[in-house]
């Protein structure tokens, strides 16, 4: 097998993580799942498929992935989320990098396309990100930020790009998606506070319509039917919500709640 460690962070992913591990285990003899407290049997599913499962209480995205990096046995690391699947052509492309003289770069970007419920493969117009996911430990580490999910590479790192596409099954339902986005908006509001960033009040007005346009037209959700429209609405509301929560916290700090006055003393009277 190629000298690659594959690491996955997870919580309550028993219904999805099996497919992720099965698609990737032909690439590595070192698959690590860092679990932050699943109660649905995620740990057992991963262990049955040969993964090494380690518990770590949730510290945020970047710190959790850095914890996982430290567990990897090989110099090359591949990060997958528990709802992402490597198709066979991309797995073969990755394996081919390690033939002959080995990889010609220090890190590789992987195209990741979201698959909506009811779709069997990425839509031909699906919006895709291309972050670095395959990289040498000596040349990069995940950012320590609790909300910004990215690999920080050394300035001299050589970056390549793979042709295949990771299948991203991110949506179980619109309700579950909104729960995740609501929690993520809390984390982003926390991050703005910690960094001392102040967002203009004007953003409260423009954030929702601007991000709906970004998702519906810029990310081409409008070409994916009713589900694309609903997903664009969720995305726009999430982007608005993080700004609204930021402003709510600012207002609360300006006007702290007044301490409640003790009840007035009354003399007891005999009846």
């Amino acid at each position: 097998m190629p000298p690659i460690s594959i690491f996955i962070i997870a919580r309550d992913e028993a219904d999805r993580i099996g497919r992720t591990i099965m698609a990737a285990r032909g690439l590595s003899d070192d698959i690590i799942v860092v679990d932050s407290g699943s109660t649905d049997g995620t740990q057992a599913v991963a262990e049955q498929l040969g993964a090494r499962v380690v518990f770590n209480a949730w510290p945020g995205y970047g710190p959790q992935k850095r914890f996982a990096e430290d567990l990897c046995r090989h110099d090359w690391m591949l990060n997958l989320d528990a709802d992402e699947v490597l198709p066979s052509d991309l797995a073969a492309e990755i394996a081919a990098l390690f033939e002959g003289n080995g990889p010609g770069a220090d890190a590789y970007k992987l195209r990741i396309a979201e698959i909506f419920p009811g779709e069997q493969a990425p839509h031909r117009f699906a919006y895709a990100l291309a972050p670095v996911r395959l990289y040498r430990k000596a040349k990069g580490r995940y950012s320590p930020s609790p909300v910004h999910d990215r690999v920080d590479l050394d300035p001299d790192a050589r970056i390549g790009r793979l042709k295949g596409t990771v299948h991203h099954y991110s949506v179980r339902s619109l309700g579950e998606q909104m729960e995740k986005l609501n929690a993520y908006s809390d984390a982003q509001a926390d991050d703005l506070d910690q960094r001392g960033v102040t967002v203009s009040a004007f953003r409260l007005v423009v954030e929702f319509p601007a991000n709906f346009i970004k998702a519906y037209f810029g990310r081409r959700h409008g070409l994916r039917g009713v589900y694309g429209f609903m997903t664009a609405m969720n995305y726009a509301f999430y982007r608005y919500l993080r700004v609204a929560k930021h402003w709510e916290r600012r207002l609360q700090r300006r006007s702290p709640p007044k301490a409640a006055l003790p009840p007035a003393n009354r003399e007891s009277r005999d009846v």
Side-chain angles (χ1 to χ4, degrees):
M1 288 187 182
I4 303 172
S5 291
I6 299 174
F7 66 91
I8 304 164
I9 64 172
R11 180 171 181 172
D12 292 334
E13 296 285 357
D15 60 326
R16 301 192 289 195
I17 198 169
R19 178 169 53 181
T20 300
I21 295 173
M22 289 179 67
R25 61 183 180 178
L27 272 178
S28 175
D29 60 0
D30 185 35
I31 298 179
I32 305 104
V33 172
V34 176
D35 186 87
S36 54
S38 295
T39 59
D40 67 345
T42 296
Q43 305 93 325
V45 172
E47 288 174 344
Q48 288 170 4
L49 293 172
R52 180 160 45 105
V53 179
V54 179
F55 169 77
N56 193 52
W58 181 249
Y61 287 94
Q64 190 76 329
K65 292 193 175 184
R66 289 172 72 90
F67 178 86
E69 287 174 331
D70 291 336
L71 298 173
C72 292
R73 295 170 180 160
H74 297 300
D75 182 47
W76 277 91
M77 301 181 295
L78 171 63
N79 172 229
L80 294 171
D81 287 343
D83 56 3
E84 295 174 347
V85 176
L86 287 178
S88 57
D89 62 327
L90 179 54
E93 185 180 4
I94 293 173
L97 291 174
F98 293 86
E99 297 175 355
N101 295 325
D106 300 307
Y108 289 88
K109 294 181 177 182
L110 276 67
R111 186 174 183 270
I112 302 173
E114 188 174 48
I115 298 178
F116 290 163
E119 297 177 344
Q120 302 304 314
H123 191 277
R124 60 180 297 193
F125 296 117
Y127 174 76
L129 299 171
V132 168
R133 287 293 193 86
L134 176 65
Y135 55 103
R136 289 178 57 200
K137 187 185 299 185
K139 288 294 184 177
R141 295 289 305 271
Y142 261 89
S143 164
S145 167
V147 296
H148 298 296
D149 189 4
R150 66 171 184 269
V151 177
D152 290 336
L153 296 170
D154 290 351
D156 63 343
R158 299 163 296 168
I159 304 173
R161 184 165 182 154
L162 300 181
K163 297 177 181 179
T165 299
V166 177
H167 294 185
H168 187 198
Y169 298 90
S170 66
V171 182
R172 289 187 178 103
S173 68
L174 288 173
E176 190 259 354
Q177 181 189 52
M178 200 67 246
E179 288 178 9
K180 288 172 60 177
L181 293 177
N182 183 44
Y184 195 50
S185 69
D186 282 335
Q188 289 207 327
D190 290 341
D191 183 62
L192 290 172
D193 284 347
Q194 292 168 6
R195 293 189 290 122
V197 176
T198 300
V199 177
S200 166
F202 179 68
R203 295 275 293 276
L204 287 169
V205 179
V206 302
E207 199 75 8
F208 184 93
N211 281 285
F212 177 79
I213 291 170
K214 175 182 177 181
Y216 195 72
F217 296 103
R219 295 191 172 186
R220 301 183 293 275
H221 286 355
L223 300 175
R224 301 175 71 181
V226 174
Y227 215 101
F229 170 80
M230 294 189 294
T231 300
M233 290 287 286
N234 266 9
Y235 174 79
F237 184 67
Y238 143 69
R239 298 290 289 183
Y240 158 77
L241 196 58
R242 70 193 181 101
V243 177
K245 289 178 178 180
H246 166 73
W247 264 90
E248 180 184 50
R249 295 178 183 189
R250 290 186 63 189
L251 294 173
Q252 289 171 342
R253 286 195 291 268
R254 290 176 185 172
S255 303
K258 295 180 180 179
L261 295 175
N265 292 327
R266 296 181 180 179
E267 294 182 1
S268 61
R269 295 182 180 180
D270 295 333
V271 177

